[in-house]
């Protein structure tokens, strides 16, 4: 089964040749933006495949030969992207079946989300796909974005939406607009996305198929989902159990309330289902539920950096150069069901001997506002060697006067590498802080803008590690 799913899904992410059905030279039209995306990525040397625009009314677009019909396409076409009106899609699917193309992204909306007539069209397409072994992403979606291979069916031009760099996070979204906004935001936040899939009405390819594919994708460390509803519960549960043994899955499930569920149904024709059922399913399968968009990416960031360095327990050590921030982090430890580590006598003794009299050893340890990077090193050394500490949250207020920014960044990165305990950093502040936080993240330490978010991300790591231990 594993080989089959990888084989079936590969053309979506790394096609030999893509047919853009509905490609046009009219700027701003969906078919034009998708064509431009591939063309630009080809010119940049990222997209290595062939590009075949299909439009009965044109002979060429920007120097590319245009094919009048699907039947005329060269035989190496292994991915078709459809952006033509819904009523023409079934006939096009028949041509695709005859041509032997096995992967199709249907961008077009106007199907099941609009009621009975649209559902009928959807069923027709599904039957053609099923009978001919075609895998379909969509309809009513923005499709696929893969920075490493240059696949980009997101029909929002680069002038309106930035694309994020590559990274070890996969992002799957039922909502196309949410997917696009998220990509734009990830680009600004410097978060790397390895693969994005927006599947809209998920006529065929669904969450379970994607989980089964991502198990075998070595580029991806963590999979994040925005889900409105699941059609086949059993299939979802089985796939989730398979992948969570290997890599973490984070789900942001909307439609929690009566109002939200109603909105989800009119949006992608999705039945949101009782929220308590989803909660139970996520717990049972080891999927970590995100409370909101921010939480989802806080978790993803932590897992992307620390998937192979999970905490061995729930005892948290906190180091800070600001007392108030230490108190906030301690509150968050209790709030998210973790424990404050009891430092060993040896650790307290080690800190006392190496600290000036006014620094405060303990948990939290406060290196106070006149700290330099060396004092942080001593604190981290003590916590890393203490058998009572499972994970460390280091709060760095870069504003304090004697702290050498680059030195503390190097110290944190060094301990992240050599210690078997996960370290997350918290850096509160504005533009200058953000600059140093980015430097720290480049070196493999996830950084959060508040103590609460840093601790909450660590709680996700603890939860997943507990799930893996239970299953072992």
């Amino acid at each position: 089964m594993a080989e089959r799913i990888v084989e079936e899904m590969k053309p979506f992410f790394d096609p030999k040749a893509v047919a853009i059905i509905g490609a046009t030279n009219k700027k701003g039209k969906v078919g034009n933006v998708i064509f431009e995306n591939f063309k630009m990525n080809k010119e940049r040397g990222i997209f290595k495949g062939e590009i075949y625009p299909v439009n009965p009314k044109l002979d060429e677009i920007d120097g590319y030969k245009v094919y009048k019909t699907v039947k005329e396409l060269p035989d190496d076409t292994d991915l078709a992207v459809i952006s033509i009106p819904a009523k023409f899609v079934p006939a096009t699917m028949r041509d695709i079946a005859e041509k032997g193309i096995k992967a199709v992204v249907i961008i077009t909306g106007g199907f099941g989300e609009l009621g009975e007539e649209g559902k009928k069209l959807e069923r027709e397409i599904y039957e053609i796909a099923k009978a001919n072994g075609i895998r379909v992403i969509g309809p009513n979606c923005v499709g696929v974005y893969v920075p490493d291979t240059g696949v980009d069916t997101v029909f929002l031009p680069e002038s309106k939406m930035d694309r994020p760099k590559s990274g070890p996070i996969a992002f799957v979204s039922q909502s196309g607009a949410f997917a696009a906004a998220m990509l734009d935001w990830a680009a600004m936040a410097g978060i790397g996305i390895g693969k994005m899939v927006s599947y809209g009405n998920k006529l065929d390819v669904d969450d379970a198929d994607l989980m089964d594919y991502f198990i075998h994708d070595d580029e991806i460390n963590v999979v994040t989902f925005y889900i409105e509803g699941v059609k086949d519960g059993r299939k979802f549960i089985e796939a989730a159990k398979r992948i969570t043994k290997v890599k973490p899955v984070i789900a942001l499930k909307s439609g929690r309330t009566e109002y939200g569920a109603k909105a989800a149904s009119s949006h992608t024709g999705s039945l949101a289902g009782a929220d308590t059922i989803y909660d139970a399913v996520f717990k049972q399968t080891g999927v970590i539920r995100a409370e909101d968009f921010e939480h989802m990416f806080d978790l993803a960031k932590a897992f992307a950096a620390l998937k192979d360095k999970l905490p061995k327990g729930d005892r948290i050590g906190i180091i800070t150069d600001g007392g108030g921030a230490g108190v906030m982090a301690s509150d968050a430890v209790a709030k998210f069901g973790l424990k404050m580590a009891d430092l060993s006598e040896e650790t307290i003794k080690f800190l006392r001997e190496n600290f000036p009299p006014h620094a405060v050893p303990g948990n939290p340890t406060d290196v106070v506002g006149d700290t330099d990077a060396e004092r942080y090193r001593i604190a981290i050394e003590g916590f890393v060697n203490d058998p009572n500490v499972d994970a460390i949250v280091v709060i760095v207020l870069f504003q304090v006067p004697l702290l050498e920014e680059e030195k503390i960044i190097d110290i944190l990165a060094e301990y992240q590498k050599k210690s078997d305990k996960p370290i997350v950093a918290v850096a509160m502040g504005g533009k200058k802080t953000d600059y140093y936080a980015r430097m720290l993240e480049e070196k493999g330490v996830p950084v959060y803008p508040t103590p609460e978010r840093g601790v909450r991300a660590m709680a996700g790591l603890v939860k997943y590690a507990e799930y893996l231990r239970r299953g072992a």
Side-chain angles (χ1 to χ4, degrees), residues 235-386:
K235 184 182 171 193
F236 180 91
I237 288 169
E238 284 165 5
K241 280 181 174 167
R242 281 192 290 273
I243 189 170
T244 52
K245 287 188 181 79
V246 186
K247 47 187 86 169
V249 173
I250 299 156
L252 174 56
K253 161 73 179 66
S254 64
R256 299 188 93 152
T257 62
E258 182 194 336
Y259 296 142
K262 207 167 157 192
S265 163
S266 63
H267 174 216
T268 50
S270 191
L271 295 169
D275 198 63
T276 46
I277 295 171
Y278 282 93
D279 249 350
V281 164
F282 293 153
K283 279 196 182 82
Q284 182 197 338
T285 57
V287 170
I288 296 161
R289 183 167 192 168
E291 294 303 312
D292 50 40
F293 170 74
E294 215 169 54
H295 186 206
M296 178 171 72
F297 277 97
D298 284 352
L299 286 167
K301 205 158 76 162
F303 280 113
L306 300 166
K307 173 183 166 282
D308 299 322
K309 197 178 283 209
L310 294 172
K312 296 189 170 53
D314 59 359
R315 300 166 303 173
I316 309 300
I318 295 164
I319 298 166
T320 181
D321 58 353
V327 175
M328 288 159 76
S330 305
D331 276 344
V333 165
K335 180 177 176 181
F336 298 118
L338 304 172
K339 295 189 187 83
M340 290 292 280
D342 285 324
L343 298 187
S344 69
E345 281 175 31
E346 288 84 355
T347 304
I348 299 284
K349 185 168 175 278
F350 169 77
L351 295 177
R352 274 219 178 91
E353 282 169 2
N354 289 282
F355 275 176
H358 62 290
V360 187
N363 193 17
T365 278
D366 188 353
V367 293
V368 298
D370 68 349
T371 192
D372 58 4
E374 198 46 45
R375 206 179 295 166
Y376 264 107
R377 182 195 288 281
I378 292 160
I380 297 168
E381 178 73 22
F383 278 54
V384 158
N385 292 325
D386 191 321

